[in-house]
């Protein structure tokens, strides 16, 4: 049975013995409606049923207080929640350790008054997706890809959502007629090979609804891959059922990009959800958003990315926070992302390193940003630096080095400049861990200067 969110309204705080945060009874004199006895609380079977999780999402400030009585002296969230809706699955709420903004899960899920403070340069749709919609509900920005907004519903509304103007304001799904229009557009534009099913969260749809979308899009012969963008493995892992995996498998190649932001989201449940999808032959990627106070430290991103590859999820993008209204309090400096990328490269398996991207305002699309590894360049040599600070002259192919007659070089002190004509091919930091290790294992041989 699918319960309406109204029945969830009166539900007491669902319990899961080991993980649930403080379980105080409501304070005496509290005016909360008394709990409805209809939902068997704490029954593991219900807890593991994704429809129960959906029906019992925390949607109102009253329900939130029932979950976290310690918030009762805080601001009234009613106006905020009517502007930017709230929904939190009981599962995701159970990952909150402390009901305060120092807790990363709390910050991503529980509305905060700062959402209403907007500097003037922000807009509801900075990516201008609305202008790239040839068919309502479909964004066609890049030549070979199109993005379908399959539903506006999510199981949990991320406070940092970039589609805050869409997600959850009305919980609707794509109609058959709309889907038909989209399929026709795809048919008329055979250059589109990659269709991204997004939203909202498409995995909040019933399996038969999702199958209707996948099968219709699969009928277009020019569509090669279908991607699903979903946060369900993170916030509603119970949704990844054998039944869903069997359905998805019929429409391969299907790729899934999910959205883990913090190592605390890597739980036994989310690990199992990823495992089931991977076992169903779905390659998994992850798109994280860099969020102030949540994951904007290099060590956190490192731990997250290590955990992801261990779970067969390839870190794909790390996004700079968009210039969207209502998420400004999450935005970091761009330089923070560059520092993080500087830290990861060399330290972490290349498989675990995402690409840091800025989804540019004015519909500019995703632009990769990374530390500068190219130090300087002449027609014959390019000077590169590695993560340790070692400078290496990389010579161009031989024909091109036979250029104009060499001019005699003036006397000069050594420097990067000498690498541009090959006089020096390497400059290395004396103190690097790696060189110290090399000296220990091979004291004489490996440190000769020049080409090795
Ligand atoms: C992100 C995005 C895509 C996919 O881009 P990739 O770089 O291929 O992952 C496609 N269309 C739109 C509108 C997007 O925002
Ligand atoms: S799941 Fe995605 S679309 Fe839904 S609120 Fe989170 S970021 Fe936005």
């Amino acid at each position: 049975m699918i319960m309406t969110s109204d029945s969830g309204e009166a539900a007491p705080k669902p319990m899961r013995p080991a993980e649930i945060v403080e379980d105080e009874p409501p304070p005496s004199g509290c005016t909360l409606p008394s709990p409805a006895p209809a939902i068997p609380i704490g029954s593991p079977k219900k807890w593991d049923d994704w429809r129960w999780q959906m029906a019992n999402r925390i949607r109102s400030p009253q329900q939130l207080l029932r979950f976290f009585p310690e918030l009762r002296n805080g601001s009234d969230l009613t106006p905020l929640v009517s502007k930017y809706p709230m929904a939190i699955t009981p599962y995701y709420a159970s990952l909150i350790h402390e009901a305060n903004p120092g807790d990363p899960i709390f910050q991503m899920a529980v509305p905060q008054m700062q959402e209403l403070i907007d500097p003037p340069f922000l807009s509801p749709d900075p990516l201008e997706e609305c202008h790239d919609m040839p068919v309502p509900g479909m964004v066609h920005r890049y030549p070979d890809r199109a993005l379908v907004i399959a539903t506006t519903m999510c199981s949990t509304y991320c406070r940092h959502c970039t589609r805050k103007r869409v997600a959850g304001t009305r919980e609707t799904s794509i109609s058959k007629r709309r889907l038909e229009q989209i399929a026709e557009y795809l048919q008329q534009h055979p250059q589109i090979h990659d269709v991204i099913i997004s939203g909202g969260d498409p995995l909040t749809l019933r399996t038969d609804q999702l199958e209707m979308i996948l099968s219709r899009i699969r009928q277009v012969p020019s569509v090669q891959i279908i991607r699903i963008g979903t946060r369900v493995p993170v916030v509603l892992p119970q949704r990844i059922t054998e039944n869903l995996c069997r359905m998805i498998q019929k429409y391969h190649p299907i790729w899934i990009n999910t959205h883990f932001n913090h190592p605390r989201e890597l739980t036994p449940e989310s690990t199992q959800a990823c495992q089931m999808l991977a076992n169903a032959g779905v390659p998994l990627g992850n798109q994280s958003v860099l969020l102030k106070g949540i994951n904007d430290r290099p060590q956190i991103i490192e731990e997250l990315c290590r955990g992801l590859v261990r779970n067969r999820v390839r870190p794909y993008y790390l996004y700079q926070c968009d210039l969207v209204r209502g998420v400004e309090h999450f935005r970091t400096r761009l330089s923070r992302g560059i520092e993080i990328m500087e830290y990861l490269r060399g330290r972490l398996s290349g498989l675990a390193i995402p690409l840091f991207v800025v989804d540019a305002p004015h519909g500019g699309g995703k632009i990769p940003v990374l530390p500068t590894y190219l130090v300087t360049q002449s027609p014959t040599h390019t000077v590169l630096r590695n993560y340790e600070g070692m400078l290496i002259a990389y010579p161009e192919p031989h024909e091109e080095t036979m250029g104009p007659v060499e001019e005699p070089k003036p006397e000069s002190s050594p420097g990067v400049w000498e690498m541009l004509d090959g006089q020096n091919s390497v400059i290395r930091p004396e103190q690097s861990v790696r060189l110290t290790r090399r000296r220990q294992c091979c004291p004489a041989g490996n440190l000769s200067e020049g080409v090795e």
Side-chain angles (χ1 to χ4, degrees), residues 190-203:
Q191 72 272 29
I192 299 176
H193 297 311
D194 177 356
V195 174
I196 298 147
I197 315 288
S198 180
D201 195 325
L203 292 191

Side-chain angles (χ1 to χ4, degrees), residues 381 390-395 418-419 422-428 430 434-435 438 445-452:
H381 291 79
M390 181 175 175
L391 298 184
I392 305 105
Y394 175 87
E418 289 181 333
M419 301 180 91
Q423 285 186 61
N424 189 3
S425 70
V426 62
I427 295 178
R428 20 171 148 237
E430 274 310 306
R434 187 164 63 98
L435 291 186
R438 266 203 199 184
N446 265 335
L447 287 172
S448 61
E449 292 304 314
V451 181
E452 285 162 38

Side-chain angles (χ1 to χ4, degrees), residues 153-154 156-158 160-163 167 199-201 230-231 235 259:
M153 173 149 73
C154 301
T156 295
Y157 291 112
C158 311
H160 56 272
C161 180
T162 198
R163 298 221 180 88
D201 195 325
T230 175
R231 201 162 194 239
V235 290
H259 177 179

Side-chain angles (χ1 to χ4, degrees), residues 110-232:
V110 177
Q112 282 153 84
M113 294 313 279
Q114 292 117 294
E115 291 177 36
L116 297 173
I117 304 168
D118 290 322
F121 52 86
L122 300 181
S123 77
D125 180 22
L127 309 181
E128 298 183 3
E129 289 187 333
C130 292
H131 302 285
D132 283 328
M133 277 197 190
V135 180
M138 193 186 77
V139 186
H140 185 193
R141 165 165 305 151
Y142 300 104
D144 71 327
R145 285 153 282 177
L147 183 148
V148 175
I149 298 185
T151 173
T152 57
M153 173 149 73
C154 301
S155 62
T156 295
Y157 291 112
C158 311
R159 303 327 296 175
H160 56 272
C161 180
T162 198
R163 298 221 180 88
K164 224 160 164 155
R165 71 182 194 285
V166 183
T169 41
R170 285 180 308 131
E171 294 194 329
T172 58
S173 307
I174 196 167
S175 65
K176 265 208 152 107
R177 198 174 61 87
R178 214 13 79 68
L179 179 62
E180 217 38 59
Q181 289 172 334
I182 288 173
E184 270 161 40
Y185 183 90
L186 294 173
Q187 215 113 30
Q188 288 154 10
H189 295 80
Q191 72 272 29
I192 299 176
H193 297 311
D194 177 356
V195 174
I196 298 147
I197 315 288
S198 180
D201 195 325
L203 292 191
T204 58
L205 296 171
R206 291 195 319 266
T207 304
D208 63 304
Q209 289 175 304
L210 183 64
E211 175 154 25
M212 182 181 80
I213 298 173
L214 294 181
S215 69
R216 185 64 191 90
I217 289 173
R218 260 288 162 254
Q219 282 166 26
V220 181
S222 46
V223 173
Q224 293 169 356
I225 61 170
I226 301 178
R227 278 196 255 180
I228 299 173
T230 175
R231 201 162 194 239
V232 149

